[in-house]
Amino acid sequence: MKVLIVDDVQTKIREILKVLSAAGIHEEWVDTAGSVVGAAKLLKENDYGLLVIDLVLPLRLSEEPDKSGGTRLLNEIVRNSSLKRPEHIVGLTVSDEALQEAQPEFSRGLWSIVRYGTDVSEWREALVEKARYLLARESFEQEEVARDTDVLFVCALARPELSQLKVALGNNFEEVSVNGDHTRYFRTSISTQPKDISVTVCSAPSMGLTAAASLTTKACMHFKPKIVVMTGICAGKKGEVALGQCIVASTSWDYGSGKFIGSAEGVQFKANPYQLAIEPAAQSAAEAVLSDQSFLDSLHDSFQGNKPKQRLEGILAPLASGAAVQANSEFFESVAQKQVRKVAGIDMEAFAVSWSAREANEPKPICIIAKSVADFADEEKSDDFQDYCSFTSGSIGFEIAKRLI
């Protein structure tokens, strides 16, 4: 933030600098001018957040001060479009006569005018208030700009999803603090062609639709991502997909959406799901990545840990979400018969993330759901491949996102 002091008295300039310095304004941010002409030259060249102006100013340094000099400069700022108008203007004067004459002009511009004096505190308070306000706002704006991210990753849990995502992305992350938000966010920049991609990653405190929706909503507000990606693990439909296979959701929905109906046969659940489809651009990118077998093979080979014997494959298919962990071999058949016949996987978060991204502020991010099959939602559930699935889904999700940046 830059400040311009316009005054022809050096002792007064030094006093003003002391006050601004105490408020947090560094001296190198401050320019000074001793005349109307000198100030106008600086106002053509620079943007100032604050202008501190004496009312009694010479037109040029070689001339005598004029009690209307300050007002003349203000009129020039308003009239001359080549001068960059400061956001805040504070007038200071030791002359009561000049103060009274300039008051109407300052009032029209909604500017401040106070009497200056070494024994007067009002002018000091006025400068401190303006300086602190401008510094606080600039800090907020810089934080907002710094937060903007290309790709936001949302994970269900810190382990294994988020920890393996970080391994997959292969970069050093720094933690980002957001005032008033206890969630831990991590940020990095990944070098790609033709540009570097800024990435922010986070995880919810627990699994489930509610936690995922809450996290995605506030993270989108904080970081304004272009793309939202959820990666991690899911359950797959046995016979439709294999362990370790990555499902990119072509559609997602809440399989618990509907109503219970009483009848002579007892209470029955009638499903009424609302489905969200992947955006066409994301679908094209996903199809390209999932068909690149050499890329998928490289992911499988690079993972250092327990992994399936079969090679990594990917599929673009329906993925349903619900509030409960499933360990029932008949569950998939129920969803396939009553909701979507070709459902390939189920999880506890995908639909919530997709919905939150769709409802985000403009410009809305593109949403990608990429989850790898860690079990078949049956009585034989196992944690053997959760790390592998979190790693591969994270790598595939980012590869899809890269094609959309």
Side-chain angles (χ1 to χ4, degrees):
M1 185 192 77
K2 292 181 69 66
V3 176
L4 175 60
I5 301 174
V6 185
D7 203 302
D8 61 330
V9 180
Q10 289 301 314
T11 54
K12 186 177 171 186
I13 291 175
R14 285 195 291 270
E15 288 298 314
I16 294 171
L17 284 171
K18 288 179 184 178
V19 172
L20 293 175
S21 177
I25 303 292
H26 297 293
E27 192 168 326
E28 57 266 28
W29 301 349
V30 181
D31 293 332
T32 62
S35 67
V36 173
V37 171
K41 183 176 183 299
L42 289 171
L43 287 165
K44 285 183 179 180
E45 300 169 352
N46 302 282
D47 287 303
Y48 294 103
L50 175 62
L51 168 64
V52 183
I53 181 172
D54 185 17
L55 300 184
V56 182
L57 286 173
L59 178 62
R60 297 178 179 82
L61 287 176
S62 59
E63 300 178 4
E64 291 296 318
D66 187 324
K67 66 180 181 180
S68 63
T71 303
R72 183 169 180 173
L73 176 59
L74 295 178
N75 289 332
E76 188 68 12
I77 290 172
V78 173
R79 184 186 63 82
N80 191 341
S81 60
S82 67
L83 272 59
K84 299 175 182 179
R85 181 171 177 167
E87 184 175 356
H88 292 271
I89 298 176
V90 177
L92 301 179
T93 183
V94 297
S95 170
D96 290 334
E97 182 182 357
L99 189 150
Q100 291 176 0
E101 290 184 7
Q103 189 69 59
E105 196 69 37
F106 273 79
S107 297
R108 278 194 294 271
L110 300 178
W111 302 317
S112 302
I113 181 171
V114 290
R115 196 173 78 81
Y116 173 84
T118 56
D119 59 342
V120 179
S121 63
E122 184 182 358
W123 69 272
R124 293 185 175 88
E125 293 169 358
L127 290 186
V128 168
E129 180 183 351
K130 296 292 186 186
R132 288 179 175 170
Y133 165 78
L134 290 168
L135 285 171
R137 196 197 58 194
E138 183 177 55
S139 176
F140 175 79
E141 290 174 348
Q142 288 176 347
E143 184 180 2
E144 288 291 297
V145 171
R147 285 184 194 163
D148 286 358
T149 194
D150 292 319
V151 184
L152 169 69
F153 280 90
V154 178
C155 296
L157 294 173
R159 293 182 181 277
E161 290 94 335
L162 181 59
S163 60
Q164 286 298 321
L165 171 63
K166 289 180 177 180
V167 174
L169 296 179
N171 263 44
N172 293 322
F173 285 81
E174 62 175 356
E175 188 164 353
V176 179
S177 297
V178 178
N179 289 334
D181 186 352
H182 63 272
T183 298
R184 300 181 71 192
Y185 300 99
F186 302 89
R187 187 180 179 111
T188 190
S189 179
I190 300 177
S191 297
T192 64
Q193 292 296 331
K195 60 166 283 188
D196 291 350
I197 298 176
S198 59
V199 175
T200 301
V201 302
C202 58
S203 62
S206 63
M207 297 185 296
L209 294 165
T210 302
S214 175
L215 175 60
T216 305
T217 297
K218 66 181 181 179
C220 284
M221 292 177 66
H222 292 328
F223 301 103
K224 304 177 181 64
K226 298 175 183 175
I227 300 170
V228 172
V229 185
M230 182 168 216
T231 62
I233 63 175
C234 68
K237 183 180 180 183
K238 185 176 285 188
E240 185 77 22
V241 293
L243 282 176
Q245 188 167 356
C246 183
I247 300 174
V248 175
S250 59
T251 57
S252 63
W253 68 98
D254 177 4
Y255 63 70
S257 177
K259 63 180 178 179
F260 289 93
I261 301 175
S263 67
E265 299 175 355
V267 178
Q268 294 183 328
F269 176 70
K270 185 175 182 180
N272 186 28
Y274 181 88
Q275 297 184 41
L276 289 177
I278 189 172
E279 293 190 34
Q283 178 174 335
S284 297
E287 289 171 345
V289 172
L290 297 178
S291 65
D292 186 351
Q293 193 58 49
S294 62
F295 168 69
L296 299 180
D297 287 343
S298 70
L299 293 183
H300 181 84
D301 293 338
S302 66
F303 180 74
Q304 303 298 310
N306 196 28
K307 53 190 171 184
K309 293 180 180 179
Q310 66 269 21
R311 309 300 286 176
L312 175 61
E313 295 182 346
I315 183 174
L316 187 69
L319 180 69
S321 300
V325 175
Q326 295 296 334
N328 181 350
S329 58
E330 298 179 0
F331 176 76
F332 264 109
E333 290 306 319
S334 175
V335 174
Q337 291 174 9
K338 298 179 181 180
Q339 298 186 25
V340 177
R341 182 174 61 85
K342 293 186 177 181
V343 59
I346 58 170
D347 81 335
M348 297 176 66
E349 299 87 18
F351 179 70
V353 172
S354 298
W355 184 275
S356 298
R358 194 192 78 156
E359 295 299 311
N361 293 336
E362 297 287 354
K364 297 182 185 299
I366 294 173
C367 186
I368 301 163
I369 306 295
K371 291 203 167 187
S372 294
V373 177
D375 60 70
F376 293 119
D378 56 17
E379 294 79 3
E380 300 178 7
K381 285 176 70 70
S382 170
D383 297 340
D384 292 350
F385 302 130
Q386 287 190 354
D387 284 352
Y388 173 82
C389 291
S390 298
F391 173 84
T392 56
S393 63
S395 300
I396 289 170
F398 182 62
E399 191 67 20
I400 296 170
K402 279 167 56 178
R403 294 171 179 260
L404 299 172
I405 296 296

